[in-house]
Structures are given as C-alpha cells and as structure tokens.
Amino acid sequence: MRTALPSRPLSRPRSVGTAAVLGLTAATALSACSTPAAAEVPGVTDDTVVIGTHQPLTGPAAAGFASISAATAAYFEYVNANGGIHGRSIEYVVKDDGYNPANTQTVVRELVQEDQVFAVVNGLGTPTHSSVLDYLDQNEVPDLFVASGSLTWDQPDEYPGTFGFNADYVTEGAALAQYALDTEPDAVVCVLGQDDDFGEGILAGVELAVGEGEVASSQTYSTADQDVTAQVGAMKEAGCTHNVLGTINGFTALAVGTAAQMDWFPKWHVSSSGADHPTLVEYLGEDVAPVLEGLVSVNYLPNSPSSEWYELFSTINDEYNDGAPYTGNTTYGMSVGYQFAEALAAAGPDPTRESIVAAVESGDLAGNGVAPLTYSAEDHFAHRTVRVAVVTDGVQDFTDDAYTVSEAGAVAVEPAQVPLENEGIPVTE
C-alpha cells in the first residue's frame, strides 16, 4: 500500500479563514484615534500593527505547514502580552490559499485591499508566492520573509521590498550533497525534487558539490500526482546510495515509503522544507517510521532540544498554542515571528513601510539562527549557513557539522548559534 497524503492538516491551526485576526487589542482599535504619522501608514495605529499572510491550511502542503502560522500567532500573543513592540500589539491575519496560486492571488488582494495590512509576512510556497510577487511590488507592500528558499526572492533591484526567510535551496542542496561526500566519498548521489524552483534549486546546489553532470539520476514530481513509484524506481535502477530530496513533508514520506515497499533502503538527505521528523512519522505511521532512522537534513534555525530558543518556544507553545504538538515547524513559525518583531523594533517608534525595509537591509538584524542573518541592500536572503541534523534512535537533532555555501561550493564551518536575549522579545529604544 502506498503512503497517502492525509485529507486534512495534522493539527488544527489557531487562525483559519478570511477573518482570522490575532492580537490582544480589540478590532475596533483600527478605527481608534491615531497620530497623523500612524494614520498615513496602512495597518498602523497608535496601538496596533496589522500584518497578513497566505498559508496552506488545507490542500497538499497542509500537513505540518498548517501549524506554522499557529506557532507564529502564538509567539505574537506572547509578545503582545509583554507590551508589544514600541507599545503596539501585532495583529496577524492568516488566510488559507490551499497551496493553490489562484487562491493565493485572491487572498493576498483581500489582505492588501480589505484588511489594509502593513506588510505580508512569511507567505508560504514557491508557486503560490510567485503569483503575487509583482502585485505586492506594484502596491509597495513590504513582502517580508517569504517561506520558500527560491532565489526569486533575492532580486533587490527588481523587487526591493521582498526578502526570503529560508536558507535558499541551492545552499541546502549543496550542503546536503557535500555532507554525503564528506561522510562517504564514493557516494552515488541522486536528486528527487518538486517540479518548480524548489527542485531546480536543490539540483543546482547538489551539482555545485558533486560537479555538473555527476548526479546519477535526477527526478521530479508534481504535487498534483501522489505517486512517485516511477521516480523512485528510476533512482533505484541508477544505483543511488544517497538521495537528496527537494520535497515537502508529504512527498518525503511518499518517497521513503515507496522505496521501503521496493525493499530499497538508501540514505536520505532532505531539505528543511520536508524533513520534520514528527510530521513524517505522522504520515508513515509508527510501524513504518523506523525507515526514517539515519535521515539527514539541514536547518538554519535552533531546532534542538538543547537550545535556549527551543526551550523558550516550547514554553510559549504550551501557554499560547493550546499545547499543540511541538515540531520543527513550531520552531520555524516562532522564529519568523521573532524576526518580524526584531525588524519592527528596528523600524522605529513610528514605523513606515520604508523604514521596515530599511531596517532589514541595514544588516543590524541578528535573527535567532545557527548563524547571524546575512541581509543587506544587495542580499535579500537571510541564511547562508546551515547545520546538519540526523535522526538517531528516533530523535532528530543537530550534529556538530555545519556548512556555509557560496558560488565556490559548500565549506565546513563551526556553527555559531545566535544567543537568546531579553526572553526572546526584541529590545526597543
């Protein structure tokens, strides 16, 4: 029996639908008296900042990913309960696009025209967010921390208000392949990737490490077709020993499960977008989950139980997220919430759309990752360093291996986790 995608998200998100707004300030605050400066800035009043996002709360990417916005919302509630940023609460409007670009266009227009958001934050997905990139640029809406590693978001001359959040896919692909070669120099490396910028970026990164034309088999899949038997069969036939996956969680489980049905157990090296162990276990079931033992992934966030950030986020999750299961996507959602709060703090006591873009480009934001952020006026990507994690005895945790990637390839470095300060709430001056 093939592994199938579940029909609904693994966990119920806190914010669902076109009216999902979180914040401690009542909705009527949007119409409250505000300073002239605040009144001129969409989404900003004396007491609130309203931001929005599009997320796959339903559809093929919902499992795991639907929990991201719930975690972000929980972090914002924590910040609001502790005074907000410059005295303003963050209201977070979450709209479901079902991972369908046509839906994304509809809900993002609602965010901009009806909800009058200050910024769109962490819109998820390469095909989905690409469909609204020009619209947000034309309307001069800050397009912050896109939830995708596509290099599309790093075009500051063409899209000055757009910034990526994830490590880019080339970085992840190169690091995953280089780790394979560093641990087994004779590795036969293959690639399975989504049929868009996600898969293309992973393949480009792998080739950066192993050499152009040296990938033994490169296969793609479409999220509309929940059968990868042919692709996995081709990789097995090619003699692949290490498969690098540019897959979302459902298709990681599908690939690993399909290979197990073929009695084939290569090593799996998976992008952070599809390597969350608890989510994969939910897909495969406890009886099949042991095939995940040894799964290698990379991450750029503090997704380790030994991290102070992880400990804080776990506490916030228990208090503000109904005690939802803690996964890597919980860390992701809270981390992007922290990054927005840090940018908002740096944008000043009277934030404008221009000042928050300038704050991100300043290079002064640190984030909370395994290495400081790399944003600048010329670089709209956050993370160029990733750390390796391995599933051992059913637990996914970091090793001591990390890589920084440039055009020259992936170079092993010492990880330098950004320390936790001020209980995870950015300091305002």
Side-chain angles (χ1 to χ4, degrees), residues 56-353:
L57 306 182
T58 58
F65 288 169
S67 63
I68 290 175
S69 56
T72 305
Y75 173 78
F76 287 151
E77 286 196 34
Y78 168 71
V79 170
N80 294 346
N82 286 277
I85 302 297
H86 291 297
R88 292 184 178 87
S89 293
I90 300 170
E91 294 190 359
Y92 186 46
V93 185
V94 180
K95 293 183 185 278
D96 180 17
D97 66 4
Y99 206 63
N100 182 320
N103 295 343
T104 308
Q105 293 176 41
T106 298
V107 300
V108 167
R109 281 178 168 78
E110 290 174 358
L111 289 171
V112 174
Q113 297 172 10
E114 298 176 16
D115 298 297
Q116 294 282 301
V117 296
F118 174 61
V120 169
V121 178
N122 203 225
L124 190 145
T126 299
T128 46
H129 200 75
S130 294
S131 73
V132 295
L133 188 61
D134 288 325
Y135 173 78
L136 293 173
D137 178 65
Q138 291 161 7
N139 285 272
E140 299 181 333
V141 180
D143 183 14
L144 305 178
F145 317 140
V146 182
S148 156
S150 171
L151 294 173
T152 303
W153 325 132
D154 186 23
Q155 300 184 73
D157 291 338
E158 188 168 354
Y159 299 107
T162 296
F163 299 83
F165 180 71
N166 303 30
D168 70 86
Y169 299 137
V170 174
T171 292
E172 292 201 332
L176 288 165
Q178 189 61 53
Y179 182 74
L181 295 176
D182 287 347
T183 53
E184 295 193 32
D186 295 329
V188 179
V189 179
C190 297
V191 175
L192 172 65
Q194 195 162 293
D195 60 350
D196 56 21
D197 284 359
F198 183 10
E200 291 170 5
I202 291 293
L203 175 60
V206 171
E207 289 186 329
L208 188 62
V210 305
E212 189 172 353
E214 295 301 314
V215 174
S217 177
S218 177
Q219 302 292 317
T220 62
Y221 72 91
S222 166
T223 57
D225 183 4
Q226 296 176 24
D227 184 350
V228 294
T229 304
Q231 294 93 321
V232 172
M235 296 162 77
K236 180 181 180 182
E237 183 68 21
C240 309
T241 62
H242 294 68
N243 294 330
V244 179
L245 303 188
T247 49
I248 58 178
N249 287 303
F251 282 86
T252 302
L254 197 58
V256 173
T258 299
Q261 292 164 10
M262 296 178 178
D263 199 31
W264 182 45
F265 302 96
K267 295 191 175 179
W268 302 98
H269 289 219
V270 189
S271 162
S272 62
S273 297
D276 183 61
H277 185 255
T279 303
L280 297 177
V281 171
E282 289 280 354
Y283 270 119
L284 291 169
E286 294 288 346
D287 56 332
V288 180
V291 301
L292 298 170
E293 189 71 10
L295 181 142
V296 174
S297 61
V298 288
N299 213 319
Y300 42 93
L301 298 174
N303 196 36
S304 169
S306 62
S307 164
E308 292 179 309
W309 287 98
Y310 188 103
E311 182 178 353
L312 171 67
F313 290 163
S314 295
T315 301
I316 294 172
N317 189 61
D318 289 341
E319 185 170 354
Y320 295 98
N321 199 20
D322 298 330
Y326 195 102
T327 70
N329 287 317
T330 310
T331 300
Y332 182 100
M334 293 200 188
S335 294
V336 79
Y338 174 80
Q339 191 159 306
F340 174 75
E342 188 183 17
L344 185 62
D350 294 306
T352 65
R353 286 173 163 176

